[in-house]
């Protein structure tokens, strides 16, 4: 798969590495996991699929999920395109409901969970608002790990270009140079969007291939 991707995207500026044995979501059968219970009163909790929720019995705030889907948390479709205004409204709504200031008189554990939720919401908002971090997170969800700068197969020409741009940005302000850099970045972002869209199809093909190889 890795070799195929390199051949397909040899001209792209972003090197991608598909880790072997990348974990894939699995469907759990009935009874495979115990129903969650409230930490405060022990009541059974409805399935909230990682979303912030309160106990239906005692209304205690429950802890955040270990690895929540940030798109679902922020009520967005899992896509590179997001509605920035909708994202901001969701962010403000969650922060109003879960901000630590609202839990000043609650038990210490609940105050701690509120801080965790608040931090997670900030992280989700910043991740999905920024195109680069949003794209990298989409790759992560698909089991594709972007190559690190120190990887031996990293694109040296790309790294040199980044260094040159940083050097230009460190120089005294020059409107012509800034406009040139802005145009270059916009073009590169468009290429990155195309690459991410293609990666979604390759990820689906990889899943189908693995399912075919599983002994019946």
């Amino acid at each position: 798969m890795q070799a195929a991707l390199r051949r397909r995207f040899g001209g792209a500026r972003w090197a991608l590495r598909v880790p072997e044995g990348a974990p894939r979501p699995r469907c759990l059968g009935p009874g495979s996991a115990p129903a969650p219970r409230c930490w405060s009163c022990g009541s059974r909790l409805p399935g909230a699929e990682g979303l912030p929720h309160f106990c239906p019995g005692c209304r205690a705030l429950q802890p955040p999920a270990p690895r929540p889907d940030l798109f679902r948390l922020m009520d967005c479709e899992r896509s590179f395109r997001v509605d920035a205004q909708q994202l901001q409204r969701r962010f403000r709504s969650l922060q109003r409901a879960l901000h630590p200031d609202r839990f000043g008189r609650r038990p210490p554990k609940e105050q701690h969970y509120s801080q965790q939720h608040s931090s997670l919401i900030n992280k989700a908002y910043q991740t999905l608002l920024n195109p680069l971090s949003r794209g990298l997170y989409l790759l992560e969800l698909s089991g594709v790990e972007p190559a690190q700068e120190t990887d031996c197969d990293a694109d040296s020409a790309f790294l040199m270009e980044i260094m040159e741009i940083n050097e230009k940005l460190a120089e005294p302000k020059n409107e012509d140079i800034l406009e040139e850099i802005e145009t270059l970045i916009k073009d590169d972002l468009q290429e990155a969007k195309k690459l991410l869209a293609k990666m979604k199809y390759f990820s689906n093909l990889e899943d189908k291939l693995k399912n075919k190889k599983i002994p019946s």
Side-chain angles (χ1 to χ4, degrees), residues 19-166:
E20 295 184 2
R24 299 289 178 182
R26 294 184 301 128
C27 294
L28 300 178
S32 59
R37 291 183 176 274
C38 173
W39 61 268
S40 179
C41 69
S43 299
R44 288 182 179 272
L45 299 173
E49 299 185 19
L51 298 180
H53 62 290
F54 295 81
C55 172
C58 67
R59 300 304 301 166
L61 177 64
Q62 302 303 301
R67 291 179 62 85
D69 184 327
L70 301 187
F71 283 97
R72 180 167 176 76
L73 174 64
M74 302 306 292
D75 197 22
C76 296
E77 291 186 9
R78 188 180 287 190
S79 168
F80 188 79
R81 295 182 178 181
V82 299
D83 186 327
Q85 292 184 342
Q86 177 185 340
L87 181 64
Q88 187 178 60
R89 288 194 296 268
R90 174 66 170 173
F91 169 72
R92 291 176 175 175
S93 174
L94 289 174
Q95 282 291 33
R96 281 196 300 268
L98 300 166
H99 196 276
D101 289 347
R102 296 178 59 90
F103 295 83
R105 297 184 179 181
R106 302 295 294 176
K109 181 176 287 191
E110 199 167 356
Q111 294 179 29
H112 176 63
Y113 291 152
S114 171
Q115 293 171 357
Q116 288 183 322
H117 277 293
S118 185
S119 176
L120 177 61
I121 292 165
N122 280 322
K123 173 188 174 182
Y125 178 68
Q126 295 299 330
T127 297
L128 301 188
L129 183 65
N130 181 275
L132 176 57
S133 58
R134 186 193 317 140
L136 292 175
Y137 181 60
L138 276 170
L139 289 178
E140 178 186 334
L141 291 176
S142 298
V144 179
E145 181 182 354
Q148 302 299 317
E149 293 182 7
T150 55
D151 286 352
C152 59
D153 59 349
D155 188 337
S156 58
F158 168 71
L159 298 179
M160 286 296 297
E161 183 178 359
I162 294 298
M163 291 175 60
E164 291 175 1
I165 292 176
N166 280 322

